[in-house]
Amino acid sequence: MGRRHIQVGLAGLGNVGMGVYANLEKNRELLGDRCQADFNIKKIAVRNLDKARDRDVPEALLTNRWQDLIEDPDIDVVIELIGGTEDAKSLVIEALRRRKVVVSGNKALLAEHGQEIFALAQEMEVPVYFEAAVAGGIPIIKAIQESLVGNRIELISGIINGTCNYILTRMREKGLGYTEALQEAKDLGYAESDPTLDVNGWDAGHKAVLLASLACGRWVPADQIHVEGIEGISVNDIKFVENLGYTVKLLAIIRGSADTSMEVRVQPCLVPRQHLLASVNGVFNAVMVEGDLVGETLFYGSGAGQDPTSSSVIADLVDAAVGLQHEEKRGYIPSNEVAAVMPIEDTVSQYYLRLKVDNVPGVLAQVAAIAGKHGIGITSVIQPETSAPVADLVLMIDDAPYGSLKTALAEIQALKCTSDHPTLLRMETFAHQSV
Ligand code: HSE
């Protein structure tokens, strides 16, 4: 059988889009041999036609109307890399209506509108591939959809934002301040153009929604998961945590099943230093998946960056080509039902709490009295010696429901002897069941 020519419309020529363009060219021969297809980028939709690009792209390919990709009857596959959820949604919906295969790296779009998009895809009998939407170059979507399909997924614990992992690593290893470390991540092209979603946890939150929906087989509503970012973490906290034998990681935790309720959250957490995820540093991501048959698995790689992310997009393109040539190849998607999500207040954990307190007698007693009143146990207390008027007071909290701890903390913050914003970090045990 001869090679099929796959006509591709590429929407978005930013960091990842440029990587796809360049790497399809770089590995053209290899791809042709492996999947008996030639990929031809027929049109590229960009926002600004005049923008200077660090690589020559023939002007004839460029358009500033994404509709040109949809309206071209020769285009078989549309790659959506424009980000955002407005134009991107219209583009994907219109592409599916015209029965074009969609490849998207847009986690926000799929986390917020996945249920609707995949329902339309099923109606039109056209696949949507989204490997690049989670953990950059790590093939975690196909792993869950295909290789682990026979498993009940019991726990997913992941470091799935490269920017945050980079920032936390630089703060720990070099003592950089948060702002300086963020600037480095931006300069290296890891952070999104607007890094707000990286550092406030929502980039990982969107990815967690997708992983959780695949894990439980039902759509997890993005507005029901708990998400915290790393903006409040100081070098001071990182040092305290290190001395206690832990490291701080922004973790996505997905636990439980759709039959009961799912625990889905993204938070900076204390990870024991000997745990595998504690040694995942820099821009690297890692996702641990535990299934009832396979046990524990670990996927590690670059979670951001031009080449690794383009590797995932190209893999989707190959799946699309296989589908167009032979029988369609696509992994399972969640059913059209919605999963129940456990309220964060009901989750139970140990915690690290750092307070800034007046350095006077009786403070510890006041804090401990409030904790005791709410049934919260304190397992250890650290107050480095200082003659300064304000001191750090670090408390290790025993297993407590987050709801009770939140109430107690509000009372502690209202005490005259406490100042500044406290740092509250969950300690992760990686147990299958919530406590
Ligand atoms: N900005 C993301 C990260 C990359 O830092 O992980 C792609 O999601």
Side-chain angles (χ1 to χ4, degrees):
M1 201 174 81
R3 287 188 179 188
R4 172 161 178 168
H5 298 281
I6 308 286
Q7 302 292 349
V8 179
L10 174 61
L13 200 53
N15 193 34
V16 180
M18 191 57 93
V20 172
Y21 180 83
N23 289 324
L24 273 179
E25 203 51 52
K26 176 172 179 262
N27 288 351
R28 178 170 295 283
E29 291 285 307
L30 173 148
L31 281 165
D33 290 347
R34 287 185 179 171
C35 60
Q36 297 305 304
D38 282 324
F39 297 98
N40 177 43
I41 298 203
K42 184 145 188 260
K43 283 195 176 83
I44 304 175
V46 294
R47 262 190 204 105
N48 178 1
L49 289 172
D50 301 324
K51 186 177 163 190
R53 301 176 207 284
D54 54 10
R55 188 189 163 95
D56 282 341
V57 177
E59 263 180 40
L61 296 185
L62 301 179
T63 169
N64 57 5
R65 288 183 71 247
W66 58 259
Q67 290 85 349
D68 288 348
L69 273 47
I70 309 296
E71 287 159 9
D72 187 332
D74 295 339
I75 288 183
D76 307 297
V77 184
V78 171
I79 303 178
E80 183 278 302
L81 296 172
I82 58 180
T85 53
E86 287 179 18
D87 278 355
K89 184 177 177 199
S90 308
L91 166 71
V92 166
I93 298 276
E94 289 308 315
L96 291 173
R97 288 207 176 114
R98 303 231 183 172
R99 304 205 72 243
K100 294 182 190 300
V101 178
V102 169
V103 172
S104 174
N106 191 332
K107 52 250 154 188
L109 174 69
L110 298 176
E112 286 169 21
H113 303 288
Q115 191 171 5
E116 179 188 345
I117 288 170
F118 282 94
L120 177 64
Q122 283 198 303
E123 185 191 324
M124 302 308 294
E125 298 184 327
V126 183
V128 176
Y129 299 104
F130 56 106
E131 186 60 74
V134 180
I138 303 177
I140 190 65
I141 298 295
K142 290 189 210 304
I144 298 177
Q145 283 184 314
E146 298 172 18
S147 312
L148 301 176
V149 69
N151 286 259
R152 209 172 279 282
I153 305 292
E154 295 171 330
L155 175 67
I156 298 181
S157 358
I159 294 173
I160 51 177
N161 183 273
T163 301
C164 289
N165 205 39
Y166 182 85
I167 292 172
L168 292 172
T169 303
R170 296 291 287 165
M171 287 171 78
R172 180 174 55 80
E173 288 179 351
K174 298 286 171 201
L176 294 190
Y178 167 80
T179 314
E180 208 181 336
L182 171 60
Q183 188 57 49
E184 279 194 0
K186 282 195 213 167
D187 294 345
L188 291 164
Y190 301 148
E192 301 294 310
S193 45
D194 173 3
T196 312
L197 291 184
D198 287 306
V199 296
N200 74 9
W202 269 104
D203 175 85
H206 289 139
K207 295 168 182 168
V209 164
L210 295 176
L211 291 177
S213 301
L214 287 174
C216 78
R218 293 184 190 172
W219 287 100
V220 168
D223 61 3
Q224 285 180 32
I225 72 166
H226 179 82
V227 174
E228 290 170 44
I230 62 163
E231 300 115 310
I233 310 277
S234 66
V235 177
N236 204 11
D237 289 311
I238 289 181
K239 283 188 191 142
F240 273 121
V241 165
E242 281 290 306
N243 289 337
L244 289 162
Y246 298 87
T247 188
V248 181
K249 293 288 177 195
L250 184 74
L251 290 185
I253 297 290
I254 296 156
R255 183 184 272 130
S257 78
D259 306 333
T260 51
S261 67
M262 298 290 293
E263 183 180 339
V264 186
R265 55 186 168 83
V266 172
Q267 291 176 298
C269 294
L270 267 63
V271 175
R273 211 181 294 134
Q274 64 279 13
H275 191 274
L276 280 173
L277 291 182
S279 49
V280 175
N281 287 316
V283 72
F284 282 95
N285 281 197
V287 187
M288 293 189 87
V289 183
E290 287 191 53
D292 61 344
L293 309 182
V294 72
E296 200 170 89
T297 58
L298 176 64
F299 300 82
Y300 171 86
S302 290
Q306 187 170 63
D307 285 346
T309 311
S310 72
S311 162
S312 289
V313 174
I314 291 171
D316 280 350
L317 207 48
V318 169
D319 274 356
V322 172
L324 289 164
Q325 292 178 95
H326 310 286
E327 201 159 324
E328 194 179 283
K329 177 175 181 295
R330 57 174 131 169
Y332 83 94
I333 52 165
S335 76
N336 206 12
E337 290 170 46
V338 172
V341 179
M342 184 187 291
I344 189 72
E345 284 73 16
D346 296 352
T347 61
V348 173
S349 182
Q350 295 172 38
Y351 286 88
Y352 158 100
L353 172 63
R354 182 175 62 85
L355 302 166
K356 277 275 185 210
V357 296
D358 292 345
N359 195 5
V360 293
V363 168
L364 183 57
Q366 292 180 61
V367 171
I370 294 175
K373 188 176 87 183
H374 291 279
I376 291 163
I378 296 171
T379 52
S380 68
V381 178
I382 303 161
Q383 183 178 348
E385 261 182 54
T386 176
S387 54
V390 174
D392 283 308
L393 178 63
V394 174
L395 306 174
M396 300 305 282
I397 308 284
D398 205 356
D399 275 332
Y402 180 67
S404 313
L405 190 53
K406 206 165 75 170
T407 312
L409 195 51
E411 284 182 33
I412 290 170
Q413 276 186 268
L415 290 173
K416 279 208 180 64
C417 58
T418 57
S419 58
D420 210 4
H421 289 295
T423 309
L424 181 67
L425 297 172
R426 188 183 278 257
M427 195 182 293
E428 189 50 56
T429 59
F430 303 97
H432 288 182
Q433 308 282 329
S434 35
V435 200

